């Protein structure tokens, strides 16, 4: 952590910022349909004061995830996993650190943390007109467990990132992306395979991780405006009542550190958003919207992808809480190398188990935006514009992800450079797609 004098300066800065940002929290909205912000319908009895340093009621969240930085994902940085591409013995951060041992893993990962995302990235994100970054981090960075192979040191770099965000004028959502024993079995939880979260002490350990994060950054609420309790708990495979209980305890942990944090709750892949966030002030729901992880979805035509994205807008607009689409992309295929797991193929070209051929992955398996076909470029730009129009019908969006080594449909930095992500953000080559 940084010195005491710097902390005092941060606290004073935060207090001044917060005193000028006290507004009423929302309870329900009526979308105007004219591109303006939703209008809040708040009764006097429902009004409550808040001191979150971003006006989630009046301004749009326009953000990007810093995926693959503090939580490894093979498809984002395949070079890190390349030496095991044939054996498939290293498929996630757990097996990576276990195979290398703590000394070598720490050396390699510290180099990755210090080079993959830098201050220049934060400045470029702000220059693109964005106002938020969502930063995934694993529990192991905060509360290491005995016997785990993971290494630590991420928080020192995260402290630095908070200052970079402050300097660039960006707000930060901290996202606990991996829970003990995995909340979903995805490689992006840190541990691919079985789901062991909700067994033993894993839930209480997760609450402790949240508490420690909130305590560490309670003096930085001028920048760190929100903490997401857990990324993508797999509701259909978990006890939903247990998820709700964890959300209640996690919210209390965050609020006990500072009432100036908003609490972010992932929807656990449920379409019933009304069940989340009752009785908690300053709650942001987080839903992730991809159309590629089933044969039927990846088989949609470009116009069907656009239509489906537009169809989500009215549901977002009618939600009576702040809600962000916290992950989405320009991808209409699952072609990116190792997107479905190290060594696994794609549904789009029929190389993934139990899938059927829809099209060719040429140019989308590895490559850059510049080398995409003209049709792919047109379809991606159109799809991104439709999603922006739909997701801004309520609180806003956070794109996944800022940079990759070779996945052009997912790489915002490359999409911006290639003219497929609008600049300015309200520029449209395909206006009126969502009506």
């Amino acid at each position: 952590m940084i010195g005491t004098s710097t902390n005092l300066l941060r606290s004073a800065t935060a207090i001044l910022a917060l005193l000028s940002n006290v507004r009423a929290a929302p309870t329900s909205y009526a979308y105007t349909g004219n591109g303006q912000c939703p209008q809040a319908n708040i009764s006097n009895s429902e009004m409550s004061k808040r001191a979150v340093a971003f006006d989630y009621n009046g301004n749009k969240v326009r953000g990007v995830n810093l995926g693959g930085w503090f939580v490894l994902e093979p498809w984002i940085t395949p070079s890190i996993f390349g030496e095991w591409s044939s054996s498939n013995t290293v498929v996630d951060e757990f097996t990576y650190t276990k195979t290398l041992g703590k000394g070598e893993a720490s050396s390699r990962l510290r180099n990755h943390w210090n080079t993959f995302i830098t201050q220049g990235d934060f400045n470029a994100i702000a220059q693109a007109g964005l106002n938020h970054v969502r930063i995934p981090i694993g529990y192991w960075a905060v509360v290491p467990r005995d016997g785990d192979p993971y290494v630590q040191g991420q928080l020192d770099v995260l402290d630095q990132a908070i200052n970079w965000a402050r300097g660039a004028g960006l707000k930060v959502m901290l996202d606990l992306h991996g829970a003990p024993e995995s909340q979903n079995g995805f490689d992006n939880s840190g541990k691919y395979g079985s789901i062991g979260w909700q067994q033993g002490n894993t839930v209480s350990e997760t609450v402790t991780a949240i508490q420690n994060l909130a305590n560490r950054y309670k003096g930085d609420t001028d920048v760190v405006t929100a903490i997401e309790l857990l990324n993508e708990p797999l509701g259909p495979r978990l006890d939903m009542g247990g998820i709700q209980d964890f959300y209640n305890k996690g919210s209390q942990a965050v609020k006990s550190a500072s009432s100036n944090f908003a609490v972010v709750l992932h929807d656990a892949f449920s379409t019933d958003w009304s069940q989340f966030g009752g009785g908690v002030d300053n709650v942001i729901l987080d839903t992730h919207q991809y159309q590629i992880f089933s044969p039927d979805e990846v088989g949609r035509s470009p116009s069907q992808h656009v239509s489906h994205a537009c169809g989500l807008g009215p549901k977002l607009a009618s939600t009576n809480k702040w809600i962000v689409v916290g992950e989405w992309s320009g991808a209409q295929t699952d072609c990116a190398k190792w997107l479905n797991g190290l060594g696994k193929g794609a549904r789009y070209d029929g190389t993934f188990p139990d899938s059927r051929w829809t099209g060719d992955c040429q140019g989308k398996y590895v490559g850059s935006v510049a080398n995409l076909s003209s049709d792919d470029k047109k379809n991606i730009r159109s799809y991104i514009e439709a999603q922006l129009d739909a997701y801004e019908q309520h609180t806003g969006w956070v794109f996944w992800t800022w940079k990759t080594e070779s996945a052009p449909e997912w790489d915002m930095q490359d999409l911006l450079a290639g003219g497929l992500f609008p600049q300015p953000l309200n520029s449209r080559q395909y206006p009126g797609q969502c009506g």
Side-chain angles (χ1 to χ4, degrees):
M1 289 293 285
I2 57 176
T4 302
S5 60
T6 306
N7 277 332
L8 290 172
L9 180 59
R10 282 187 178 186
S11 298
T13 303
I15 290 170
L16 290 172
L18 296 174
L19 287 174
S20 64
N21 280 281
V22 178
R23 297 181 178 86
T27 59
S28 63
Y29 297 86
Y31 181 60
T32 61
N34 59 4
Q36 302 301 310
C37 296
Q39 302 300 307
N41 300 318
I42 308 173
S43 69
N44 291 334
S45 63
E46 293 172 324
M47 290 180 68
S48 62
K49 294 295 181 182
R50 66 178 182 84
V52 179
F54 183 83
D55 182 5
Y56 290 103
N57 193 39
N59 295 323
K60 299 301 181 189
V61 173
R62 293 167 174 156
V64 67
N65 286 274
L66 303 183
W69 189 16
F70 297 128
V71 180
L72 295 181
E73 298 191 36
W75 72 272
I76 295 178
T77 53
S79 67
I80 289 178
F81 293 83
E83 62 193 272
W84 301 282
S85 60
S86 298
S87 66
N88 289 345
T89 55
V90 173
V91 297
D92 53 27
E93 190 157 340
F94 184 92
T95 51
Y96 179 85
T97 51
K98 183 177 180 180
T99 299
L100 291 176
K102 287 187 180 289
E104 181 64 18
S106 180
S107 176
R108 294 190 189 190
L109 287 176
R110 285 180 182 274
N111 178 67
H112 170 67
W113 300 333
N114 288 322
T115 58
F116 186 63
I117 299 290
T118 68
Q119 185 173 9
D121 290 294
F122 280 76
N123 293 339
I125 289 165
Q127 289 165 7
L130 305 182
N131 53 34
H132 277 70
V133 289
R134 180 173 178 258
I135 303 181
I137 196 155
Y139 77 88
W140 55 89
V142 189
V143 284
R145 304 168 79 213
D146 291 342
D148 273 354
Y150 299 113
V151 298
Q152 287 70 51
Q154 301 91 330
L155 294 183
D156 293 334
V157 185
L158 180 57
D159 291 344
Q160 191 175 40
I162 302 303
N163 282 325
W164 293 341
R166 181 180 284 111
L170 296 168
K171 303 306 182 188
V172 171
M173 290 184 175
L174 294 180
D175 154 42
L176 195 71
H177 217 69
E181 301 303 331
S182 184
Q183 71 278 19
N184 51 35
F186 306 155
D187 58 12
N188 59 49
S189 71
K191 192 174 185 181
Y192 173 80
S194 61
I195 301 173
W197 190 67
Q198 294 188 331
Q199 299 176 20
N201 297 322
T202 55
V203 173
S204 63
E205 290 168 336
T206 309
V207 174
T208 300
I210 290 294
Q211 181 75 71
N212 289 359
L213 271 179
N215 284 335
R216 188 180 185 97
Y217 296 110
K218 64 185 179 182
D220 295 297
T221 56
D222 61 310
V223 177
V224 183
T225 56
I227 296 178
E228 182 151 8
L229 301 186
L230 189 58
N231 179 70
E232 295 185 348
L234 192 56
R237 296 273 304 279
L238 294 167
D239 174 44
M240 283 297 295
I243 293 175
Q244 294 282 12
D245 182 62
F246 163 69
Y247 279 173
N248 289 335
K249 292 176 180 176
S251 297
Q252 292 168 11
V254 170
K255 296 299 184 181
S256 71
S258 175
S259 60
N260 299 332
F261 289 121
V263 175
V264 185
L265 308 178
H266 185 263
D267 63 13
F269 302 101
S270 171
T271 57
D272 179 13
W273 295 336
S274 66
Q275 64 184 303
F276 299 108
V280 180
D281 292 334
N282 300 327
V283 167
I284 302 173
L285 296 184
D286 174 23
T287 184
H288 296 172
Q289 297 295 322
Y290 298 119
Q291 298 185 43
I292 56 171
F293 292 116
S294 72
D296 288 342
E297 288 176 314
V298 83
R300 291 171 182 162
S301 68
S303 63
Q304 287 173 327
H305 282 294
V306 165
S307 178
H308 185 85
C310 289
L312 187 66
K315 182 178 181 181
L316 293 169
S318 65
T319 304
N320 68 347
K321 303 175 185 71
W322 295 329
I323 184 166
V324 296
V325 179
E327 291 189 22
W328 61 283
S329 79
Q332 297 183 341
T333 79
D334 63 337
C335 286
K337 180 180 179 180
W338 298 345
L339 177 65
N340 295 305
L342 192 147
K344 293 181 170 60
R347 296 169 186 84
Y348 190 73
D349 67 359
T351 57
F352 187 81
D354 299 321
S355 64
R356 58 182 181 267
W357 188 90
T358 298
D360 194 326
C361 283
Q362 184 175 359
K364 298 184 282 292
Y365 178 67
V366 294
S368 66
V369 168
N371 292 326
L372 291 171
S373 71
S374 58
D375 282 346
D376 283 337
K377 290 179 180 179
K378 172 183 178 296
N379 292 334
I380 290 172
R381 171 81 189 213
S382 169
Y383 184 42
I384 287 174
E385 289 187 11
Q387 290 181 93
L388 294 175
D389 290 343
Y391 304 158
E392 290 201 5
Q393 291 186 32
H394 207 326
T395 313
W397 47 269
V398 189
F399 187 86
W400 188 278
T401 185
W402 173 242
K403 66 165 58 170
T404 72
E405 288 181 346
S406 59
E409 294 179 287
W410 298 81
D411 190 316
M412 188 185 210
Q413 188 178 46
D414 198 15
L415 290 164
L416 285 164
L420 303 192
F421 208 105
Q423 284 290 281
L425 294 171
N426 61 359
S427 172
R428 295 291 179 268
Q429 293 180 5
Y430 305 96
Q433 292 185 104
C434 291

